[in-house]
Amino acid sequence: MGNFLGIDSSTQSMTGLVIDTDTATIIAEVSVNFDDHYAQRYGVSNGVIDLGDGQMHSAPLMWAEALEQLCRQLSASGINLGTVDAIAGSGQQHGTVYLNDQAATTLSGLSAQADLAGQIERIFSRATAPIWMDRSTGEQCRQIEAGVGGRQALLQLTGNTAFERFSGPQIRRFWQTEPDAWERTANISLVSSFVSSLLAGRLVGVDAGDGSGTNLMDIRSRQWSPAALEATAPDLARRLLPVADAAAVVGVVHPFWVERHGFSPDCQVLPFSGDNPSSLIGLGLVQPGQVALSLGTSDTLFACMDQARVSTTGEGALFASPDGTHYMALICFLNGSLAREAVRDRYGLDWAGFAGALARSPAGNGGGLMLPWFAPEIVPHVSAARVIRHGLDEGVVDANVRAVIEAQALSSRIHSEWMGVAINSLNVTGGASTNRDILQIFADVHGCPVQPFETTNAAALGAALRAAHGHARARGAAQEWSAVVAPFTSPPAAMRVEPNTAHRGTYDALLASYRALEAQHAG
Ligand code: XUL
């Protein structure tokens, strides 16, 4: 097939990853760190401009500079950009870019004689872009929910209740607080669609994956919802481009990229998606029931779902998958490594000691349970830190170590039930995924095989895979998604941990008692 470039424009950096589908290898991966290059010029720290009062913004012009820098770094790493057949990408979700009526003509008329940022300086109706870390829109969230008939109505319509970080509330706040600049706004882009527009030299629409992080898109029809637009800001329909088909090539790169950076004039551009939907593809989750769990400070669960089901109690976000048919659930358990480390430190263990304690203790822990809320929990909602032990003596080291892991596995099962799809494979990434006793507990609790999984940048890889898929489709040689992702996302089978069927009864009983204990203390 060829070489495909995936670009992830994230909060702190922009990453480019090139895959060669003939050899199924990643042939380049480079990153431009925003603070390293642009801290002075754009006033960013960790990629973010803190404007006070919860307003967290970034600079779209900085992303344009980074895109050129990324191309230079890819070339310097030995990649001939002329061999790239197609480019797709992803952006940090939810951030909004406000463009004036000069944007479309400026983008199409770019000259290769000058740098990109200098030429597009005047296309913005707002110099900065609020991003997902913004916490200034609480009031707007409530107003939008009320405008569509309430919180549950917005949830059912768009797949999510209004979140402060989502695009719709950001847009509404801009309209309310800067009406003059709003009037000068001809188009609103997301981070993802802005970067793909720079490559294509014209305004590219938002894909359904990122569209579902706006509170503006009908999650089932994958079109902007007139009711949600109406509840958000006036004349929004004409400011948003139609939702783009993530799998359809939008055109070739603008000659700017050919002349200045050596891309082929035939190199195709696809719509970009959000970083989480893109990671779904990069983790290989293209069949319902395939799930990945990333064990970090917080544990994050990504799942591929067959239908747009929602959690009525707010236990996760729902996005459309850029594969065009499926949906994804994103569930964040705040007490991940945070809780594992708290237990490890409480008993003066290192990780080897922690693993030993797990290995020595019996499945089901003799019924002993812990609610490991060392910090306020997101899922289930727990407003203040508390650690509850039930049938568990705080003094017994091994049982406490087992209790924290069993709690996390049980909680991940209970709080993914709303997806309405049985988990049939679980890929676990992150530091703790090398511990086979941890994986065994997850396998036993979920009753499915669990595999440790090393990832690079899953969002950038997902984008490169989308580029490969879109390129084949444009040539009339469409491939099944599973065939596209498999060569890059299949963990080695030798590492697989199978569920121990002898433990099924033990964990069924423990699940019931954990559920009851949690119901008593959560909130
Ligand atoms: C998801 C979210 C973050 C950003 C980070 O809803 O807000 O994960 O996408 O880039």
Side-chain angles (χ1 to χ4, degrees), residues 11 92-94 132 165 275-276 319 330:
T11 310
Q92 50 176 318
Q93 286 192 263
H94 318 302
W132 64 279
R165 67 186 193 283
D275 53 0
N276 293 300
F319 302 127
L330 178 70

Side-chain angles (χ1 to χ4, degrees), residues 358 361-367 402 406 441 444 500 503 506-507 510:
L358 277 183
S361 49
N365 220 12
R402 176 162 283 273
E406 290 190 339
I441 293 171
D444 291 353
N500 183 342
H503 295 158
T506 305
Y507 281 115
L510 206 64

Side-chain angles (χ1 to χ4, degrees), residues 282-297:
L283 291 164
L285 310 177
V286 294
Q287 301 284 342
Q290 291 182 323
V291 172
L293 182 66
S294 156
L295 301 177
T297 307

Side-chain angles (χ1 to χ4, degrees), residues 122-139:
R122 292 192 168 72
I123 69 171
F124 303 98
S125 58
R126 188 187 207 185
T128 58
I131 61 160
W132 64 279
M133 295 165 77
D134 196 280
R135 296 181 311 274
S136 67
T137 62
E139 210 176 297

Side-chain angles (χ1 to χ4, degrees), residues 509-522:
L510 206 64
L511 189 79
S513 47
Y514 188 87
R515 197 190 295 273
L517 186 68
E518 199 193 72
Q520 206 182 325
H521 295 281

Side-chain angles (χ1 to χ4, degrees), residues 8 25 105 115 131 135 203 235 302-303 305 345 370 379 499 519:
D8 178 43
T25 45
T105 43
D115 69 16
I131 61 160
R135 296 181 311 274
L203 296 175
D235 294 329
F302 287 71
M305 297 163 64
D345 297 346
M370 179 193 291
V379 174

Side-chain angles (χ1 to χ4, degrees), residues 229-244:
L229 301 193
E230 174 87 358
T232 300
D235 294 329
L236 193 46
R238 77 169 158 83
R239 290 178 162 93
L240 293 172
L241 297 180
V243 176

